[in-house]
């Protein structure tokens, strides 16, 4: 089916006691906690696996001048040392993924200059340190803040231009009675997913098989086909379990390309994992940003002008910019609105998508600027947002599919006790702590991607579903099980969900908050096809009920198993995005409320409690959705208070390239956090009437924390993260 029309009443609406939406425990939970879920690096088959180890460049730009691999080759267990001199010839770069060991050029710190292959990991690692590389370095230009004047307008993206303008934001700002003009900066960030990138690659009769950690296997297949100059049908990617991605696994990385090349050369299966340190330089990160915001308002708090200009950086030649101002295009009603992105070319590793690319850091700026405007207006910041709620998208000038920001603000304010907030900063003390409350809105785009799915009912009455979808810790296995369970009238233990294999039907994979809606809709469609086949086989009408493994109509009742017969019965389905996304502005919405305490002597900031209230269409599993939202909020707390990659501009390298020094929140940093979803159905989004939730939680979360810090202290910190040195 395709999304060219709003969805009418569906079987999901009519099954009133269904399992979709229920807080079903993760179906893959037991295998994960018992260690039987196999991640990419854990496969022990096929036999005779060799181990690869990436040797990283220690300059940011230049050329390899001397290269001596003799000592490494002579070490115990070493099977081969691949360099640009002997690596197989490859194809061309695709979607930010480069051929490896292709020449003597170095374009970023950490780029692979060699790959050692040995009988054991330890032997490969030891030999990697014996590869002697001499460099002819070029001058390095790596810091965004030194390159703002050189930044240029990047290429528009398909759905998202670099710049937009409605009305005349500058003129309206000049004549606005109340103004805020501020600059916010966000640092380099990195995904810090739990599982480092890893691949097991081997070749069988001309086919390349990769067990790898990848969010979008079909995309990975196409990218590797380009990079390795192969037909994509000769590449199989298996990613059954992925230990977090956050965007860093949207594409294959050097572990996959090098393992494939090495396996070809040594004619053995090759496993290659990036070390945690290598993940920082050899995969993706999020650019730092400089964001300049101008808000103009009437004295009663109505926005007359919004301008959001953002600068980010990327490796020389890259066009991917951090779309920080994109969210501002649809956030609040105003007749004059301008957004602009500029991109600086730098000698750094590749910047790319990281959880809620754009919104996550854009809202750290715009939602604090809104707090500053509320302060200037002497208006409650919840009320300011309510007053500027939009009835249509102010940039695209089309209706919203749904927009429930105001109900989220009101509900959250009530639950959180917002009415007890003291507007004057520093007005609440608790011993050595000064305590403050902050609010911010949440908004995240809701895309839909093409996807297919397959379902089969076997002679035992068990349904098996398949798609090249992934579960990156998000709950895909569980919600897909629920969808099939409900539509086919089977208990969830009678549904087997198989994912993460390009031998299965093409799917969206996990990214951009589109996974559940896209893969879920495809499976929904496949299950509708299956229902029709079963009804035809049973000779029953649409009015029959599917329940407990049986179809019943009147006094007739048959089991699915008997209808499936000895050979089983199969059905295919799929979803196409259609035109609804062009006709309706689609976002999920929410509101964050945070309470912080700031130590008056040391400036230490502690989060005390936090609440997120969201709307995201139909919620497919109350438990996994809440976990997703809370995870996103914690990510936002990290962005506000701790996370920053420190660049050494002399070497284009990230200094704190480990999890000891790249500070993500730990349990001790996170007190009681709650997330609530208000009921909503979006009949313009997809047949499930759901919207994406994976990235909603992070959007605005950090701004609520920063606004709470201001309310606690009266110190407005506009440079993230908000560390204690900046408070004092
Ligand atoms: Mo996401 S940044 O599309 O994993």
């Amino acid at each position: 089916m395709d999304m060219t029309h709003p969805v009418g009443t569906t079987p999901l609406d009519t099954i009133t006691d269904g399992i979709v939406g229920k807080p079903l425990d993760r179906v893959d939970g037991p295998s994960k906690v018992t260690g039987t879920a196999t991640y990419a690096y854990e496969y022990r088959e096929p036999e005779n696996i060799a181990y690869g180890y990436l040797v990283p460049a220690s300059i940011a730009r230049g050329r390899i001048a001397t290269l001596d691999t003799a000592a490494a080759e002579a070490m115990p267990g070493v099977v081969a040392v691949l360099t640009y001199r002997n690596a197989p010839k490859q194809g061309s770069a695709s979607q930010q993924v480069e051929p490896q060991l292709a020449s003597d050029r170095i374009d970023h710190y950490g780029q692979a200059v060699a790959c050692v292959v040995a009988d054991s990991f330890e032997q490969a690692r030891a030999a990697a340190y014996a590869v002697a590389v001499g460099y002819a370095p070029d001058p390095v230009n790596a810091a965004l803040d030194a390159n703002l004047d050189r930044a240029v307008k990047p290429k528009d993206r398909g759905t998202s231009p670099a710049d937009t303008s409605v009305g005349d934001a500058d003129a309206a700002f000049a004549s606005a009675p109340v103004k805020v003009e501020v600059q916010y900066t966000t640092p380099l960030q990195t995904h810090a997913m739990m599982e480092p990138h890893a691949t097991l690659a081997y070749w069988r009769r001309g086919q390349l098989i990769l067990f790898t950690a990848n969010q979008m296997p079909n995309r990975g297949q196409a990218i590797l086909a380009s990079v390795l100059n192969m037909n994509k049908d000769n590449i199989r990617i298996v990613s059954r379990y992925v230990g977090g991605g956050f965007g860093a696994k949207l594409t294959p990385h050097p572990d996959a390309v090098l393992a494939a090349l090495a396996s070809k050369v040594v004619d053995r299966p090759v496993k290659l994992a990036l070390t945690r340190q290598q993940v920082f330089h050899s995969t993706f990160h999020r650019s730092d940003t400089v964001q300049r915001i101008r808000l103009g308002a009437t004295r009663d708090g109505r926005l007359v002008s919004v301008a959001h200009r953002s600068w980010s950086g990327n490796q020389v030649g890259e066009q991917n910019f951090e779309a920080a101002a994109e969210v501002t295009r649809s956030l609040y009603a105003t007749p004059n609105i301008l957004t602009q992105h500029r991109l600086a070319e730098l000698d750094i590793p590749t910047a790319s998508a990281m959880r809620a690319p754009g919104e996550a850091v854009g809202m750290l700026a715009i939602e604090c600027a809104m707090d500053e405007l509320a302060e200037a207006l002497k208006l409650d910041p919840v009320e300011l947002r309510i007053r500027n709620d939009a009835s249509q998208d102010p940039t695209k000038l089309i209706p919203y599919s749904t927009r429930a920001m105001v109900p989220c603000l009101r509900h959250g304010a009530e639950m959180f006790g917002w009415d007890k907030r003291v507007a004057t900063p520093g007005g609440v003390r608790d011993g050595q702590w000064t305590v403050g409350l902050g609010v911010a809105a949440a908004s995240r785009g809701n895309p839909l991607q093409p996807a297919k799915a397959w379902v089969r009912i076997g002679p035992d009455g068990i349904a098996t579903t398949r798609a090249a979808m992934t579960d990156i810790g998000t709950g895909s296995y569980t919600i897909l099980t629920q969808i099939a369970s409900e539509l086919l009238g089977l208990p969830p233990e009678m549904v087997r969900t198989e994912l993460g294999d390009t031998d299965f039907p093409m799917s969206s994979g996990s990214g951009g908050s589109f996974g559940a809606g896209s893969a879920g809709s495809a499976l929904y469609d496949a299950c509708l096809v299956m229902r029709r086949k079963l009804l035809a086989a049973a000779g029953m009408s649409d009015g029959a009920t599917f329940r407990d493994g049986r179809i019943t109509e009147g006094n007739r009742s048959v089991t699915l198993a008997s209808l499936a017969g000895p050979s089983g019965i199969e059905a295919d389905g799929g979803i196409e995005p259609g035109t609804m996304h062009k006709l309706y502005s689609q976002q999920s919405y929410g509101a964050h409320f945070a309470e912080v305490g700031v130590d008056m002597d040391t400036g230490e900031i502690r989060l005390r409690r936090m609440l997120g209230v969201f709307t995201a269409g139909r919620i497919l599993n109350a438990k996994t959705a809440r976990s997703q939202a809370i995870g996103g909020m914690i990510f936002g707390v990290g962005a506000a208070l701790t996370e920053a990659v420190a660049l050494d501009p002399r070497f284009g390298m990230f200094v704190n390239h480990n999890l000891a020094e790249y500070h993500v929140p730990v349990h001790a940093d996170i007190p009681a956090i709650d997330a609530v979803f208000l009921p909503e159905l979006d009949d313009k989004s997809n047949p499930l009437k759901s919207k994406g939730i994976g990235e909603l939680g992070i959007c605005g979360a950090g701004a609520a924390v920063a606004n709470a810090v201001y309310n606690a202290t009266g110190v407005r910190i506009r440079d993230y993260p908000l560390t204690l040195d900046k408070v004092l």
Side-chain angles (χ1 to χ4, degrees):
M1 58 179 71
D2 76 24
M3 279 306 290
T4 302
H5 307 285
V7 179
T9 303
T10 80
L12 284 183
D13 301 321
T14 55
I15 301 169
T16 50
D17 59 346
I19 192 171
V20 168
K22 295 277 171 359
L24 184 71
D25 286 345
R26 284 167 192 270
V27 297
D28 52 336
S31 62
K32 284 184 173 171
V33 298
T34 55
T36 52
T38 313
Y39 290 81
Y41 202 71
E42 298 174 325
Y43 287 90
R44 292 161 194 273
E45 304 279 340
E47 287 183 346
N48 202 26
I49 292 171
Y51 293 80
Y53 194 93
L54 181 153
V55 182
S58 57
I59 63 166
R61 185 165 192 77
R63 184 172 81 63
I64 299 171
T66 61
L67 182 57
D68 186 350
T69 57
E73 280 159 1
M75 287 176 68
V78 172
V79 184
V81 180
L82 273 67
T83 68
Y84 74 92
R85 290 176 182 152
N86 62 353
K89 193 163 160 38
Q90 296 152 71
S92 47
S94 171
Q95 303 193 50
Q96 303 191 288
V97 181
E98 304 280 337
Q100 296 293 304
L101 309 174
S103 80
D104 63 352
R105 284 293 318 166
I106 304 296
D107 294 317
H108 69 90
Y109 186 95
Q111 180 182 321
V113 294
C115 175
V116 176
V117 188
D119 289 332
S120 76
F121 168 80
E122 290 78 9
Q123 289 167 326
R125 181 178 57 186
Y129 285 97
V131 175
V133 189
Y135 297 98
D138 292 338
V140 178
N141 174 33
L144 174 63
D145 56 6
N147 285 276
L148 297 183
D149 294 341
R150 285 181 51 244
V152 298
K153 180 171 178 273
K155 277 192 198 135
D156 290 342
R157 291 197 199 137
T159 53
S160 173
D163 296 355
T164 60
S165 180
V166 175
D168 187 339
D170 289 338
F173 179 76
S175 61
V178 182
K179 301 180 206 212
V180 163
E181 181 168 14
V182 285
Q183 173 174 302
Y184 278 82
T185 53
T186 65
L188 289 153
Q189 297 175 342
T190 194
H191 306 72
M193 79 305 292
M194 204 183 287
E195 177 203 25
H197 299 66
T199 300
L200 162 65
Y202 59 95
W203 298 75
R204 281 286 178 277
R205 293 177 292 280
Q207 190 188 34
L208 170 64
I209 299 149
L210 300 114
F211 289 75
T212 188
N214 188 289
Q215 294 174 232
M216 300 175 72
N218 293 112
R219 187 185 192 213
Q221 203 183 18
I223 289 171
L224 287 177
S226 169
V227 169
L228 299 172
N229 197 20
M230 291 175 63
N231 183 329
K232 83 173 171 51
D233 296 334
N234 289 332
I235 299 172
R236 178 182 172 205
I237 292 181
V238 182
S239 295
R240 293 207 179 100
Y241 297 99
V242 181
F246 308 124
K249 293 171 182 165
L250 289 169
T251 65
H253 281 281
D255 56 300
V257 179
L258 289 171
L261 296 176
S263 173
K264 184 106 191 164
V265 168
V266 306
D267 197 20
R268 283 168 66 175
V270 171
K271 262 187 186 179
L272 196 156
L274 300 182
T275 66
R276 176 61 67 185
Q277 290 80 0
Q278 289 173 350
V279 168
F280 278 72
H281 292 110
S282 305
T283 74
F284 294 158
H285 67 275
R286 188 192 323 256
S287 174
D288 40 354
T289 66
V290 175
Q291 301 180 51
R292 294 180 187 155
I293 292 175
R294 286 172 157 183
L295 303 177
T298 60
R299 289 199 196 287
D300 66 346
R302 301 200 192 261
L303 288 164
V304 293
S305 175
V306 174
H308 191 165
R309 295 173 166 90
S310 180
W311 285 256
S312 63
N314 209 334
Q315 196 182 115
V316 176
E318 291 284 346
Q319 286 293 320
N320 198 329
F321 59 95
E322 183 68 30
E326 195 175 335
V327 62
T328 300
R329 295 171 186 165
S330 61
L331 203 54
Y332 296 111
T334 177
N336 302 290
I337 178 164
L338 177 145
T339 69
Q340 196 175 82
H341 295 96
R342 294 294 173 262
L343 182 68
E345 293 197 326
L346 304 171
D347 300 321
I348 53 166
T350 311
S352 189
M354 180 168 139
R355 199 174 196 172
E359 293 100 332
V361 289
M363 297 194 93
L364 289 174
I366 186 72
E367 282 301 291
C368 286
M370 284 294 281
D371 206 65
E372 300 204 47
L373 180 63
E375 175 93 8
L377 290 162
K378 302 201 185 333
L379 185 63
D380 182 274
V382 170
E383 177 57 27
L384 174 65
R385 288 172 173 85
I386 291 172
R387 223 166 262 194
N388 288 285
D389 191 36
S391 56
Q392 68 163 4
D393 186 304
T395 296
K396 293 181 180 161
L397 307 176
I398 55 174
Y400 293 101
S401 61
T402 63
R403 175 180 165 115
M405 185 197 287
V406 169
C408 292
L409 285 161
R410 291 196 201 283
H411 190 90
E414 168 92 30
M415 270 184 82
F416 203 66
W418 184 254
D419 59 340
K420 296 185 192 64
R421 174 178 179 264
V422 176
T424 310
V428 179
R429 296 284 160 87
D430 177 11
Q432 78 199 61
W433 302 91
T434 179
V435 178
L437 302 187
V439 66
S443 168
R444 164 68 199 175
N446 176 59
L448 183 66
Q449 295 290 308
K452 297 186 192 314
W454 173 90
V455 60
R456 173 177 188 266
I457 295 176
D460 49 6
I462 287 177
T464 303
T465 82
R466 286 182 175 163
M469 176 57 185
T470 51
D471 189 324
I472 59 173
T474 41
S476 313
Y477 277 110
T478 311
I479 57 121
L480 294 173
T481 299
Q482 286 171 278
I483 290 167
S485 169
E486 175 156 334
L487 288 169
L488 301 177
L490 288 168
E493 53 283 4
M494 294 279 282
V495 177
R496 296 204 180 119
T497 303
E498 299 181 0
L499 304 178
D501 192 329
T502 54
D503 277 357
F504 298 163
M506 179 280 294
S507 189
S508 61
S510 302
S513 299
F514 52 64
S518 306
S521 294
L523 180 60
Y524 169 86
D525 188 48
C527 289
L528 291 192
V529 174
M530 176 63 85
R531 283 166 66 108
R532 286 196 290 273
K533 287 190 176 187
L534 292 166
L535 289 172
M540 292 186 193
S541 78
D542 285 352
T545 55
F546 287 70
R547 203 185 179 98
D548 298 331
R550 312 181 71 86
I551 318 180
T552 306
E553 185 168 44
N555 53 12
R556 278 190 61 220
S557 182
V558 290
T559 64
L560 300 193
S562 66
L563 292 169
S567 53
I569 183 164
E570 299 182 9
D572 295 292
I575 183 75
E576 286 290 336
T579 51
M580 283 292 99
H581 280 74
K582 299 194 182 83
L583 302 176
Y584 295 90
S585 177
Q586 292 195 22
Q587 283 79 223
S588 46
Y589 285 97
H592 296 278
F593 295 83
E595 178 181 314
V596 302
V598 181
D599 186 300
M600 288 189 287
D601 294 328
T602 67
E604 178 187 355
I605 301 167
R606 302 301 301 188
L607 184 68
R608 297 184 147 209
R609 61 194 179 99
M610 194 165 180
L611 170 70
V613 179
F614 306 102
T615 50
R618 187 193 307 276
I619 298 306
L620 301 171
N621 179 316
K623 190 179 202 172
T624 57
R626 181 174 178 275
S627 298
Q628 278 272 67
I630 286 176
M633 291 163 70
I634 293 171
F635 214 142
V637 173
L641 298 180
T642 62
E643 289 194 40
V645 169
L647 172 79
D648 186 331
R650 297 169 301 170
F651 307 109
M653 67 98 72
F654 302 148
V655 181
N656 52 341
H657 48 278
N658 56 61
L659 294 187
E661 292 166 310
Y662 184 79
H663 293 151
V664 299
V666 297
H667 281 294
D669 297 317
I670 301 299
I673 282 191
D674 201 4
V676 174
F677 285 89
L678 302 182
E680 186 184 69
L681 294 177
D682 187 341
D683 68 349
K684 319 288 191 316
S685 62
N686 63 51
L688 306 173
K689 305 184 182 179
S690 67
K691 292 205 265 204
I693 54 171
E695 294 165 316
L696 179 60
I698 190 176
C699 296
V705 174
N707 292 336
V709 170
Y710 176 77
N711 182 242
T713 62
V715 181
R716 185 69 75 174
I717 304 168
R718 300 191 183 89
D719 176 43
Y720 288 95
L722 277 53
T723 46
L724 47 73
D725 52 306
K726 297 173 189 168
V727 178
L728 297 173

